[in-house]
């Protein structure tokens, strides 16, 4: 038994095979605090959905690797002790160096992403291959990325997006040996999705590129980052209770569903959790000005996030009831 199996994690490889066979996608939810982690666990258990927990470099720095490790271990204990456990994997999101990937593997992650997408093609291949060799020797899966996503995530920011070239994707997968590939097809990090900044209109996902990638890499797991749908009601709630979010555009749910019907078997979500959390905290603080107990606004934020994740698992990813 390897390090991650000992704490109750499963490999993403097994999960991808099931998701591709079953025509659904695995939700990959980033968490940045205890309540968000609790929301992922409760939503997954209540909707009977397999799930990938995601940790970014920044949250590892913000909370400290020790605390992240212990939080995940605690979450896994809760899952294991439940009457109906669900499969859980742990992935490093947007690893930017070989050393960071090694450190996460030592911490017991069952999967790491190495994001060399901003590098020249050959350098991306060399870095990714190096991580794959190290990770596979320890039975850890690796996600690579090809094509540059626009938008902002933590300290990653790209103004311009570059669509993934399907032919290059085929070569990249063959030469690196990655287990899954994150692609750029009009998805974008943050709350302003692809191109809306310039045109005011959102460009749809390029499902034709996705189809071509699938044709060249049949049955290969494709990952959709930057896929938050930004439900309007949460943005409206933020603005109603003193916030000011003027420009935002999510990926319409129907487009995410279409991508999932294609080769996408993992969908990353971070911004939606931020929105749900901020909207609920603003509302609770505003409606209860005399309250000074953080549990009275963080608890409701956690509950709202549980409901939103259950809804996504059921209505968007199709992962509910698959565990
Ligand atoms: P969103 O900003 O759309 O939630 O994307 C998050 C993400 O892709 C994390 O890797």
């Amino acid at each position: 038994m390897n390090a991650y199996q000992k704490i109750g994690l499963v490999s993403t490889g097994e999960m991808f095979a099931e998701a591709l066979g079953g025509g659904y996608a695995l939700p990959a939810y980033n968490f940045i605090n205890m309540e968000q982690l609790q929301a992922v666990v409760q939503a997954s258990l209540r909707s009977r959905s397999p799930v990938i927990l995601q940790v970014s470099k920044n949250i590892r720095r913000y909370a400290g690797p020790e605390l992240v490790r212990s939080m995940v271990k605690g979450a896994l204990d809760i899952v294991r002790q439940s009457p109906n456990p669900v499969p859980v994997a742990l992935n490093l999101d947007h690893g930017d160096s070989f050393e960071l990937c090694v450190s996460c593997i030592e911490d017991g992650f069952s999967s790491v992403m190495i994001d060399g997408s901003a590098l020249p093609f050959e350098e991306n291949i060399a870095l990714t291959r190096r991580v794959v060799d190290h990770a596979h020797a320890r039975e850890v899966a690796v996600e690579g990325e090809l094509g540059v996503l626009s938008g902002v995530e933590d300290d990653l920011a790209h103004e311009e997006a570059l669509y993934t070239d399907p032919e290059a994707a085929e070569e990249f997968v063959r030469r690196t040996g990655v287990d899954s590939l994150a692609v750029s097809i009009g998805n974008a990090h943050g709350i302003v999705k692809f191109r809306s900044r310039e045109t005011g209109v959102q460009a749809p996902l390029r499902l034709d590129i996705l189809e071509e990638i699938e044709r060249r890499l049949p049955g290969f797991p494709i990952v959709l980052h930057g896929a938050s749908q930004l439900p309007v009601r949460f943005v409206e709630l933020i603005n109603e209770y003193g916030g000011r979010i003027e420009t935002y555009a999510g990926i319409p749910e129907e487009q995410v569903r279409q991508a999932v019907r294609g080769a996408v078997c993992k969908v990353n979500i971070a911004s939606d959790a931020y929105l749900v959390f901020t909207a609920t905290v603003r509302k609770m603080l505003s409606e209860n000005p005399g309250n000074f107990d953080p549990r009275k606004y963080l608890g409701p934020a956690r509950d709202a996030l549980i409901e939103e994740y259950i809804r996504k698992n059921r209505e968007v990813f199709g992962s509910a009831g698959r565990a």
Side-chain angles (χ1 to χ4, degrees):
M1 202 185 264
N2 59 38
Y4 64 80
Q5 285 165 338
K6 274 193 202 131
I7 57 170
L9 287 165
V10 301
S11 109
T12 46
E14 292 163 30
M15 288 170 126
F16 287 154
E18 301 235 345
L20 284 167
Y24 63 93
L26 298 157
Y29 294 127
N30 289 52
F31 69 90
I32 59 167
N33 63 17
M34 180 187 78
E35 286 81 2
Q36 290 192 356
L37 178 58
Q38 288 177 311
V40 178
V41 169
Q42 292 310 322
S44 307
L45 288 172
R46 279 176 46 192
S47 61
R48 312 270 334 110
S49 171
V51 68
I52 300 177
L53 286 174
Q54 288 208 135
V55 169
S56 70
K57 178 180 97 171
N58 270 13
I59 185 55
R60 214 164 162 261
R61 198 164 48 203
Y62 176 77
E66 305 81 4
L67 194 52
V68 169
R69 204 166 49 219
S70 304
M71 284 171 80
V72 169
K73 194 171 168 306
L76 291 166
D77 287 344
I78 293 170
V79 171
R80 265 195 305 201
Q81 285 157 19
S82 90
N84 293 302
V86 297
V88 182
L90 175 64
N91 180 48
L92 165 67
D93 192 29
H94 293 286
D96 60 356
S97 69
F98 175 76
E99 292 71 23
L100 176 60
C101 292
V102 170
S103 168
C104 288
I105 291 168
E106 282 167 5
D107 272 359
F109 283 50
S110 59
S111 165
V112 289
M113 175 187 192
I114 179 70
D115 179 1
S117 62
L119 297 172
F121 186 60
E122 288 299 328
E123 286 176 40
N124 186 3
I125 289 189
L127 175 62
T128 306
R129 178 80 243 177
R130 190 166 169 227
V131 172
V132 166
D133 287 343
H134 181 87
H136 282 185
R138 290 151 186 85
E139 294 174 58
V140 170
V142 179
E143 177 180 323
E145 178 166 329
L146 194 63
V148 178
L149 261 64
S150 67
V152 182
E153 190 196 19
D154 288 347
D155 52 4
L156 280 176
H158 297 288
E159 272 290 318
E160 293 290 326
L162 295 174
Y163 289 121
T164 305
D165 170 1
E167 193 180 338
E170 187 182 349
E171 183 182 344
F172 183 83
V173 167
R174 180 170 42 80
R175 289 178 57 196
T176 57
V178 283
D179 304 277
S180 60
L181 182 69
V183 296
S184 174
I185 56 167
N187 40 323
H189 291 128
I191 65 165
V192 182
K193 299 301 184 193
F194 201 60
R195 287 216 179 131
S196 58
R197 217 183 314 236
E198 298 95 49
T199 60
V201 179
Q202 198 197 341
L205 287 182
R206 289 283 305 271
L207 296 167
D208 56 320
I209 297 181
L210 183 65
E211 270 170 35
E212 180 58 15
I213 294 171
E214 192 178 359
R215 197 184 65 74
R216 288 172 177 273
L217 294 164
F220 188 78
I222 299 298
V223 180
L224 195 64
H225 281 242
S228 272
Q229 298 106 51
L230 307 186
V232 175
R233 64 185 184 286
F234 293 111
V235 179
E236 284 176 348
L237 215 53
I238 289 176
N239 290 343
E240 188 184 330
Y241 287 98
R244 198 176 338 122
I245 294 184
E246 282 160 354
T247 312
Y248 66 98
I251 309 264
E253 290 191 0
E254 185 45 34
Q255 284 186 34
V256 178
R257 280 190 209 102
Q258 281 177 295
V260 170
R261 282 197 286 275
V264 167
C265 71
K266 171 178 180 268
V267 180
N268 285 14
I269 300 290
S271 298
D272 277 351
Y274 291 10
L275 273 190
V276 174
F277 229 76
T278 302
T280 314
V281 167
R282 274 193 178 278
K283 181 170 186 288
M284 296 313 294
L285 287 175
S286 166
E287 287 179 349
N288 304 284
N291 171 54
F292 62 96
D293 179 346
R295 289 167 297 186
K296 299 226 165 85
Y297 49 85
L298 296 178
R302 174 185 61 197
D303 295 344
L305 193 54
I306 292 173
E307 294 308 323
E308 177 59 16
Y309 281 164
I310 290 176
R311 196 189 68 77
K312 285 188 195 309
N313 293 350
R314 287 196 181 128
E315 296 174 19
V316 187
F317 307 138
S319 61
R322 308 291 187 146

